Amino acid sequence: MKTTNFAKSIFLILLFFAFITLAAMLKLLHAFFVPLTVSVLLSFVFYPFCKKLHRLHIPWGLCVTIVIAMALFCLYFVGNLLANSLSSILHTYPKYEERFTSIYQIFCRTFKIHYEEDSSLFANLWNSIKVRSTIQNLAFTLSTSLVDFAKQFLVLGLLTVHGCGGAAAAIGGIALHDGAV
């Protein structure tokens, strides 16, 4: 009588279900794991800067605070630069409005879209292509996304600060108190 060993088949089936379960758990807990992963990666990026500051006999907590403050300053600087660029584009728009209007008229004639001669470019866009409903939907989606981003940014900041402190002990062997290096 021949006996069949089902151990390998059972292992593969269990492995398949484990992957399915893991994927479902990651999908459900993405609000936690995404900031955690990004904060761990940021901790590894910030660690060399913190280590260099710590060699100057600055306490580790202050090093972490300085590095994160510098990163936030860089983000602020880039955001401010983009905002100023957008502002200058909006201020120079009146010079190019006639050209944009003529391009839009050609577009409307080509695709047989209704165009009102006495209305401005934005009024025509607003009425003919249903921009109003699109902008309303976009504003709702953006506000929801902004709240989610703020929550994840807060969690990310807290985890990064915690990760930079933990990275010193785990990677470099640096004491977290004012002791020997």
Side-chain angles (χ1 to χ4, degrees), residues 33-118:
F33 283 117
V34 169
L36 179 68
T37 304
V38 173
S39 66
V40 167
L41 293 174
L42 282 176
S43 295
F44 285 118
V45 169
F46 292 157
Y47 177 73
F49 301 111
C50 292
K51 188 175 179 181
K52 287 190 188 296
L53 285 174
H54 190 70
R55 285 186 187 154
L56 298 173
H57 303 292
I58 298 173
W60 187 258
L62 187 58
C63 295
V64 170
T65 305
I66 290 170
V67 169
I68 290 177
M70 292 298 290
L72 289 175
F73 175 75
C74 290
L75 283 174
Y76 171 77
F77 180 74
V78 169
N80 199 10
L81 185 67
L82 290 174
N84 287 337
S85 298
L86 183 62
S87 175
S88 68
I89 289 170
L90 290 176
H91 285 299
T92 58
Y93 171 74
K95 288 195 320 189
Y96 302 107
E97 183 175 14
E98 185 178 323
R99 179 71 179 138
F100 290 149
T101 304
S102 66
I103 291 171
Y104 183 67
Q105 287 173 345
I106 294 169
F107 179 79
C108 287
R109 274 187 252 124
T110 304
F111 293 105
K112 297 182 173 92
I113 298 173
H114 177 69
Y115 179 78
E116 296 178 15
E117 293 289 333
D118 57 336

Side-chain angles (χ1 to χ4, degrees), residues 119-157:
S119 296
S120 69
L121 173 66
F122 286 115
N124 276 303
L125 285 171
W126 196 258
N127 294 326
S128 63
I129 308 178
K130 299 180 182 175
V131 173
R132 174 179 284 172
S133 61
T134 304
I135 288 181
Q136 286 173 342
N137 291 337
L138 183 66
F140 179 72
T141 304
L142 184 65
S143 65
T144 305
S145 299
L146 190 61
V147 169
D148 287 341
F149 175 75
K151 288 191 302 188
Q152 288 189 356
F153 189 74
L154 178 66
V155 170
L156 177 69

Side-chain angles (χ1 to χ4, degrees), residues 2-11:
K2 183 178 178 183
T3 59
T4 308
N5 189 359
F6 293 110
K8 186 174 183 179
S9 300
I10 292 173
F11 172 75

